[in-house]
Every structure is written in structure tokens, then in C-alpha cells.
Amino acid sequence: MKMKYLISTAVAAVIASSAAMADGFPERPINLIAPFNAGGGTDLLLRGLAPHFAEAIGSEVFVSNMAGGSGTVAASALQGQRPDGYQLAYMSITVSTIQPQIKDVPYGLDSWTPICSVAASPTLLFVANDSPFQTAEDVVEAVKAEPGKYVYGSSGPGAMTHLTTVAAFAGLGILDDMKHLPFQGSGPAIKELTAGNIQFFGDTEALMQRGDFRPLMVFNDTRLENFPDTPTATEVGIEAPLNELYLWGGLFAPAGLEPDVTAKLEAACEASVASDGFMEFANNSGTVINYRGAAEFDAFYRAQYQSNSSLIEAAGL
Amino acid sequence: MLSALPEAIGILLSVEGILVLVLGTVLGIILGAMPGIGSTVAVAIVLPFTLTMGQAPAILLLLAVYAGSVYGGSISAILINTPGTPQSAATCLDGYPMAQRGEAGIALGWATVASVVGGLVSAIVLIFAAPQLAAFALQFGPIETFALILLGMTCIVSVSTGSVVKGLMAGMIGIFLSTVGGDPILGEMRFTFGNWQLFAGFNLLAVVIGVFALSEVFIRASAPISRVSDLVAFNGIVLPSWQMWKGRLRNLTKSVAIGNVIGVLPGTGAATAAFISYAEGRRSSPNRDGFGKGEPDGIVSSEAANNAVTGGALVPTMALGIPGDAITAVMLATLTLHGITPGPKLVEDNPTLIASIFAGFFIINLLLLPLGMMLSRVAAPILRVREAFMMTAIVILCAVGIYFVRGNPFDLLIMGGAGFVGFLLRRQGVPMAPLVIGMVLGPTLELTLRQGLILTDGNFLAFFTDHPIAMVLAIAALLALSLPLWRGLLTRRAA
């Protein structure tokens, strides 16, 4: 009898305390970690989101930067932390699904509690405006005629820009006849595209508009509003899973976060992404908002992790 | 664009405009002088404040902090042998010996005037020649950049005080340290031993602060306690008189030109410019024999060049929408946030904005002189504390700065380790500047060499036979290496 009483009070206490924990959440400021340098795209997006996220969650929110190793340093550091919901990282497709499959990092598929996705932009394959190539067929013909002559650039090995060009040229069956020239970041790469040292590059629409460039195909399920004459990769004849590529990103907590806390963070994320202030920010910065809730984002993230392995194989990484 | 100038000046002379210019420059100088912060972080700190500002004030604030921080780095380099930013590392070489001789005020005076002249000239060049220079920058592909970095590497010989062999050793250590982390072409991890903390390689700033500042603290700590309470006699900046410039103007002109040209080329930066200019000064200045022992020309070479880079780096940024370095990349991102698309049409589409940016940049460089003098007067009493307190303060400042940048305690370990190794090496007479040059130039040297080999299908000779610019630069590098040998032979024969 006494034992029973003890157990039941103990259980009640545990339930009460965990409920109290979720009830009380958040009791202190929440840290949003940008795994890249201050001033970069990810950092700016987080700084644009943070004030609205703070308002929605009812607590202070601050952004910190932990750059290095293509985002893997921050992810590796977060992976070992206690899943209390006070530390979240904004991770992109490459940090969460590509890097752990090509590098010996201490995190992997099951290291995270996905909270929400925030943005997703399809990528495009593009050339300089004065390039002789008008269609994907032109490219195939020219590359087959002179194997080893043409060069495609990337912002670094394993980056989204690299995977875009690999998807395009592997899909067209000419990857092995071309040369890959990696740069450090998209800036130097688009300079060389302007100068003519590389002939092809792949990135998002926002970046493509930085220069005098022309798209050849878009890795989206439909054609883009701004480029109605540019075919999708599927139309060009590229098959799944190489035909759709999105530079997506969202908030992740370490695995094992309490469902109640996850739900609170998810709700705050949804409200802040939908806020007028963030909408205006997204509009100015060319961010394509793409919100997914925790359950949906979890399924999406896991599916992406699997399907990206074929891309990684094609890239020879 | 010039027709928009009156309207632009109206923006600059508004209350907001003046506040942004003055406060931004002051903040930049202070952040630049803080060891470990560096220009990129200084600019990133103020970035959140720009989100609520108008277009022109936002960019002007970033520019003011940028130019201020490049200058501010020289203050701590001269007074406490701690380069606030890597681009001031070359300033230490002559600035600190001067300060030790009790000439800190005049050393800072040289640095200030050189910085202001370098910045102003680069502003004028930016205003009148940006499109032409941008076209020139496009001529510089990976292979040309490789040849330029090769020329930069020859600086190791000229900054090796004492023994050239030891200098080369230090340079090799620097290059080796820069290879730790991700392979730039294949993405594989090198020398990390499975430790994810090393995925990003060694933090450059942590190593620079370690080998310059911490090792200095260790050296002083191991020496007998000095009875003299103040480290360096300093009562504020003393500007060099016109007569003192006699015989030094040529060196100043050359340094400004070097800074401008290197600034225009994306992927190089202020540290490279400062070192190349220092090496050129040491080769050609009439006062070259004093270099490394506290020669004003050494300070002028480094400071005029690194401030001239600021305007140069804006050339490809404004004319092409391609960032010249990490800082101008932040500025481009800020433009985007304010609904402006950077790109080749930037100047055409936003004449008033660009005119106010250019004119504002000119004013910022003028402001460096009075604001620098004012701030150094405030800083002077701080330097009069006892040596033990000063050394402790330096260690704390360095640690806070380094931790602040990436929030990673591992960087503190790197700084401490670099300080200890630097201390051991310096006791053996190994100079530290070549190590920093190796670490700064190493990654670009490797990347551009391997990019070039991909482009030429592994034919190294084609680097020079097919690329005239690379050929010229390589010959210059060869001359830079062989001239001291030749001179040495001649003097030996004469003796």
C-alpha cells in the first residue's frame, strides 16, 4: 500500500514536473545559431526572423554565429547539447543532409528534432548572357563534340551549387566530359562566369539576378513566374531524383526534444514566418518562404536525406 | 552619377548622415583597435542596426566602420604589438620598435597620415575610375591571382629579420597550418584526426593574436620585472612635419598605388596588400636599412596600402556586384535587404545612392584624422598602468575578442597554443611575420594553383606561356627573390 502510494506520487510528480517544464517554457532567452558567418544569407535570414520569433514565443531570442566547415562545426557542436529547446540551429539542405553523408561528422539522420522549415528556393542552371548556348541540347552537342573543354563552377565541393550542376550534367549524361572548378563562395564563381573562365553555374534565382546571366533550366516542379520560357529539368529530360532541387532550410533542435516544447516552438515559428514583418523582409531579400510544421518537416527531411545520396554518388563525393 | 552629387551631399549633411559618419568611424576605430575583432566582425556587429535605417545611411554606417577598423588596427599594433586585424601585422614590424624607443606618438602620426592619404586616394579612384578598374579585375582569373600571390610570398624574405632561413621555416609552418581543414577542391578533411573542431581549420585571427600578442606577454613575463611603470611613453598622436616627409613621398605614393590595385582584385585583400607594399618599401625605400628596427617608411608602406584597399575593394562591388572581400560581401547583402539588386546596373539605377556612398566614403577618410587623434588621447592614460596590469589586460582583451567572434572555446585553445609556440620560436630568433604571411596567403595560393591546374589540364608551364599578366608577375617575383642575393654578392665583392 505504502509502496503503491510512493510510486503513484512519484509518477504524478514526474508528470507534473514535465508538464511544468513545458508550461514554463521558455524561461530564458532562446539562442538561434547561424552555422555561417555574420552577414551571409543564413545569418541575415535568421536576424530577419528573430524579432518576430521572439514576439511569438514570448521570450528573448538572440542570434549567434558559429561558422566553419561548411556549417558542420555548429551542427557538430549542437548535436551534443541537451535537448531543452533553448538552442536551435538554422540548417540548410547541405548542412543537414549532404555534409553528414560526405564527411565524418558526429551527427547524422537521427540527431535532430526538426521544428519547422522556413524557406526553400529552387535552383537554376545558368550561363552568361552572351553565351552561345540557348538550350540544354546545345550544351549536350557542344560537350560531346569537344569532351574536356567546358568547365562548370561551384561555390565549393558538396555545396548546393555543386549539386545543381552535377544534377544537370549527370541527368544529361555529359558529366564525365566536363571539368569542375570549385570556388570559395558564389561571389568569386559568378565573377569567373562573367569573365568566361567557367561556362556554367547553378544557384538560386536571387543570386542569378546579381549578374548579366541567362537560365537554361530550373529544378522546380513548374516553370518560374519570372522566367516563363525557361524549361524545368523534367521537361529537358532529366529524371527523378535529379530533376528537383531546392535550397531549403529550417530550425532544428537536438534529438529527443519534449513534444510539448516542440509544439510551442513550432507554433511560434509558424506565427513568425507568417508575420507581416518577416513577409516584407522575405520580399526584399528574395527569400522564398516555405513553411512546414514539425511532423511534415521531419518526413520531408528524412526523404531528402535518402534521395540526396544518389546525387552525392553522381557527384563522386 | 556626378550630376546626383548635390542631392547626395544633402543626404550626407543631414543630422542622420553626420551622426552615422562620425559615430560609425569612431566605433570602427575602437573595434579595429580591439585585438581579435577584425574588420569583418566589426562590420557584422553594426549590421543589425542598419536594418531599420534608410538605404544610404545603412551603407555609410558599414563603410565608416570598415574604414575606421582598418585604421584602428594600427593603434594596437604600434602601442602593444598586437595587430587588431591581420592587415596591421606588417605595421607591428616597425611601429612597435618605434614605440619601444619612446616614439609611439610620432609612429601613430605616420600611421594616421598614411591611412588617411591611402583612403582618400582610393576614394577618388573609386569615384572616377570604377568601371575601367572593374574591367581590369575581370582579367584576373585564378592563374593571374596565383602569380600575384606568388609575388606576395616573396615578402617572406624581406620581413625575415635576422635569419632568412628561419623566416622561410616560419613561412612554411604558416602555409602548413593553413592546409588543416577541408580540402578546397575535393572537400575531404585534412590533418583533422577526426576532430570536428578542426573542420574549419585553424582560426587565422586566433593564431595571429597568439603569435604576436600572447607570445609578447610570455616574453615579458619571463624577463625580470621592470621598475619602470609605464610601457611606452605616449601622450597622443604627434603628426610628422612636412620636412620629415622629405624622401618618403615616393614610398607613400607607391604604397597607395599597390593598395589600390590589390584592393580591386577580388580574393586578395588588405593583409596581402600591406605585406606586398611593405616588401616593396624594404626593397626600394631610401631608408630600407632601418626596416624592422623602427623605420617610419615601414609603417607608411603597410598603413597606406591597407587603407587604400578599402576603396579598391568597393570597385568590383559597386561596378559588377561582385564582392571584393568578406566585408564588401556583407555590404552587398545589406543592399539586397533594402530592396536593391546589386549587379552591373547598380550605379545606373541608383545614381543618388551611389553618389552619396562615394562622397560619404571620401568624408569618412577625412574624419579618420581628427577622430583618430581624439581617440588616441583618450587611450593614452590607459597605457600608463603598471606593466603587470597591462599584460593581464592584453590577455583578457585578446581572449574576449577571439571568443566573441565565433563563440567557440576551441579558438581560445588555439590562441593559447599559438602563443606558447610563438614564444618558443621567437626565443630561437624565428620571426613571426612570415608565419602570418604563410597563413594569410597559403589558402589562396593553394586554391588558385589547383584551379589553374584544372583549367590547363595539369600543364603548369601554360600558366605563364598563355597568360601574359601571370608571366609578368612571375618575373617580378623572381626578381624580388634574386635582387637581394645579387646585392649581397656585390657588397661582398666590394668588401
Side-chain angles (χ1 to χ4, degrees), chain A residues 244-266:
Chain A
E244 287 183 31
L245 289 173
Y246 303 93
L247 180 59
W248 56 259
L251 294 175
F252 288 82
L257 190 64
E258 275 202 51
D260 293 356
V261 177
T262 308
K264 280 197 174 178
L265 290 169
E266 181 190 5

Side-chain angles (χ1 to χ4, degrees), chain A residues 44 103 179 182 191 210 284, chain B residues 140 189 333 336 343 451 454 457:
Chain A
L44 289 171
K103 279 184 193 156
K179 291 194 281 195
K191 180 198 152 234
R210 287 269 202 91
N284 281 341
Chain B
F140 259 73
M189 286 300 155
T336 321
Q451 284 176 331
I454 291 175
D457 290 312

Side-chain angles (χ1 to χ4, degrees), chain B residues 123-199:
Chain B
I124 294 169
V125 170
L126 173 71
I127 294 169
F128 292 103
Q132 294 82 351
L133 281 171
F136 167 69
L138 281 182
Q139 300 286 316
F140 259 73
I143 291 171
E144 285 80 8
T145 309
F146 168 76
L148 176 72
I149 297 291
L150 212 56
L151 176 63
M153 280 284 179
T154 61
C155 304
I156 288 179
V157 176
S158 47
V159 299
S160 298
T161 37
S163 153
V164 173
V165 175
K166 284 176 182 169
L168 287 174
M169 268 170 52
M172 292 311 287
I173 295 174
I175 296 176
F176 171 69
L177 289 179
S178 78
T179 62
V180 174
D183 180 307
I185 301 293
L186 300 171
E188 269 149 33
M189 286 300 155
R190 304 184 297 199
F191 310 116
T192 59
F193 302 99
N195 183 346
W196 58 264
Q197 291 278 13
L198 283 173
F199 283 3

Side-chain angles (χ1 to χ4, degrees), chain A residues 37-40 43-44 47-48 65-69 72-74 76-77 79 102-106 148 151 156-157 179-184 187-188 190-192 194-195 197-198 206 209-212 281 284-286 317, chain B residues 40 44 47-48 51 137-138 140-142 183-187 189 194 196-197 199-200 266 320-323 329-330 332-334 336-339 341-345 405-408 443 447 450-452 454-457:
Chain A
N37 276 322
D43 174 69
L44 289 171
R47 289 184 196 277
N65 301 85
M66 198 171 183
T72 55
V73 170
S76 301
Q79 149 287 139
I102 62 175
K103 279 184 193 156
D104 188 18
V105 294
V151 189
K179 291 194 281 195
H180 171 217
L181 198 61
F183 292 87
Q184 298 207 309
I190 59 175
K191 180 198 152 234
E192 294 307 327
T194 312
N197 278 323
I198 61 174
Q209 288 176 331
R210 287 269 202 91
D212 197 9
F281 169 88
N284 281 341
S285 60
L317 286 164
Chain B
T40 319
L47 182 67
L51 296 180
L138 281 182
F140 259 73
D183 180 307
I185 301 293
L186 300 171
M189 286 300 155
W196 58 264
Q197 291 278 13
F199 283 3
L320 299 172
I322 293 162
V330 174
L332 280 186
T334 314
T336 321
L337 284 181
H338 283 92
T341 310
K345 293 209 180 77
V405 174
R406 297 205 298 191
N408 191 342
L447 179 72
R450 293 176 66 185
Q451 284 176 331
I454 291 175
L455 286 172
T456 59
D457 290 312

